[in-house]
């Protein structure tokens, strides 16, 4: 029975989804893999998502990071043997990709002024989209990550400028104090800047709690990108 549903999903995906053809695959430090694709024109804007068809009924969500009339790029954080990591790891030039989108996610068209960007490796695509296609470059950025050296190098290669704060993740969340303090500092320094907050669910909650505790209420655009206890958030 499951097989029949998977076959129906494969057929629907072939018929209904946007087609892309991979034109470049670039491994960046920080376990990021940039996928460049040729595709038909779309009305792309920063903060949107695409849902990539992995197989059967499995979709995974990414942020268009850069685009032109006939191309779009994604930045995928590869994290071991997950469906998205295997998919991204198996791509090469000429491979076909099926995607749903662009679809709305964070509506950054409402963003007044230069933002503070906060997130992790999964947020680098959004930071790149904003840097290339947004109205005003970010005034500050704060990221948690597995390796500050590597993520810093990736941000440099992508020409996103140096992040103000890069905090090394630790397995028992001992790093959250330094991370949340970095965000509180950035908000104090730029009180009028909107906050764009994406990444891991628990980190987002901790940051929001600390901001509230510090009596800071920046205009916020928030979206959970992943959660250790869940799969395939969209
Ligand atoms: C709107 C939106 C936009 C997104 N944009 C991007 C993007 O541009 N680039 C990007 O890389 N991701 C992005 N994500 C996050 C991505 O969709 C998730 O990380 C997704 O779970 C990856 O699928 P997977 O097959 O690797 O893991 P899943 O099968 O979903 O999960 C398997 C396990 O891996 C864990 N896991 C998932 N992601 C990570 C991670 N990053 N680090 C550590 N553990 C993880 C899960 O919690 C779970 O325990 C976005 C998510 C949303 C909702």
């Amino acid at each position: 029975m499951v097989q029949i549903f998977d076959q129906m999903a494969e057929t629907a995906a072939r018929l209904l989804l946007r087609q892309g053809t991979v034109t470049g695959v670039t491994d960046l430090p920080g376990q990021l893999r940039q996928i460049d694709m040729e595709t038909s024109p779309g009305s792309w804007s920063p903060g949107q998502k695409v849902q990539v068809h992995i197989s059967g009924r499995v979709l995974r969500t990414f942020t268009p990071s850069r685009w032109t009339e006939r191309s779009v790029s994604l930045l995928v954080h590869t994290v071991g043997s997950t469906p998205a990591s295997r998919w991204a790891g198996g791509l090469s030039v000429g491979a076909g990709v099926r995607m749903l989108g662009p679809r709305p996610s964070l509506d950054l068209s409402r963003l007044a002024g230069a933002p503070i960007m906060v997130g992790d490796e999964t947020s680098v695509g959004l930071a790149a989209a904003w840097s290339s296609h947004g109205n005003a470059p970010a005034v500050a950025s704060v990221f948690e990550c597995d390796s500050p050296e590597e993520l810093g190098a990736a941000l440099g290669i992508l020409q996103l400028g140096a992040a103000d704060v890069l905090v090394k993740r630790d397995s028992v969340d001992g790093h959250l104090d330094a991370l949340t303090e970095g965000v509180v500092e950035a908000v104090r320094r730029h009180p009028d800047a909107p906050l764009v907050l994406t990444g891991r669910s628990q980190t987002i909650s901790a940051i929001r709690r600390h901001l509230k505790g510090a009596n800071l209420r920046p205009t916020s655009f928030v979206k959970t990108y992943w959660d250790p206890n869940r799969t395939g958030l969209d």
Side-chain angles (χ1 to χ4, degrees), residues 60-61 63 75 77 79 82-84 105 122 225-228 230-232:
R60 288 293 182 265
T61 309
T63 308
L75 281 163
H77 184 220
V79 290
T82 61
S105 180
T122 63
Y225 277 7
W226 67 283
D227 181 316
R230 298 169 67 189
T231 60

Side-chain angles (χ1 to χ4, degrees), residues 5 8 43-44 47 56 68 84 97 108 116 120 123 151 155 170 219:
F5 281 127
M8 285 165 62
S43 45
W44 307 95
T68 64
V97 175
L108 299 190
I116 299 167
D120 61 20
S123 317
L151 191 63
L155 298 178
D170 99 15
T219 305

Side-chain angles (χ1 to χ4, degrees), residues 176-186 188 210:
L176 284 185
D177 282 349
L179 186 83
T180 51
E181 199 40 48
V183 178
V184 164
E185 277 303 305
R188 286 206 171 109
H210 274 74

Side-chain angles (χ1 to χ4, degrees), residues 45-48 104-111 221:
S45 68
Q48 290 172 329
S105 180
L106 277 174
D107 183 5
L108 299 190
S109 66
R110 295 187 298 115
L111 205 151
F221 296 76

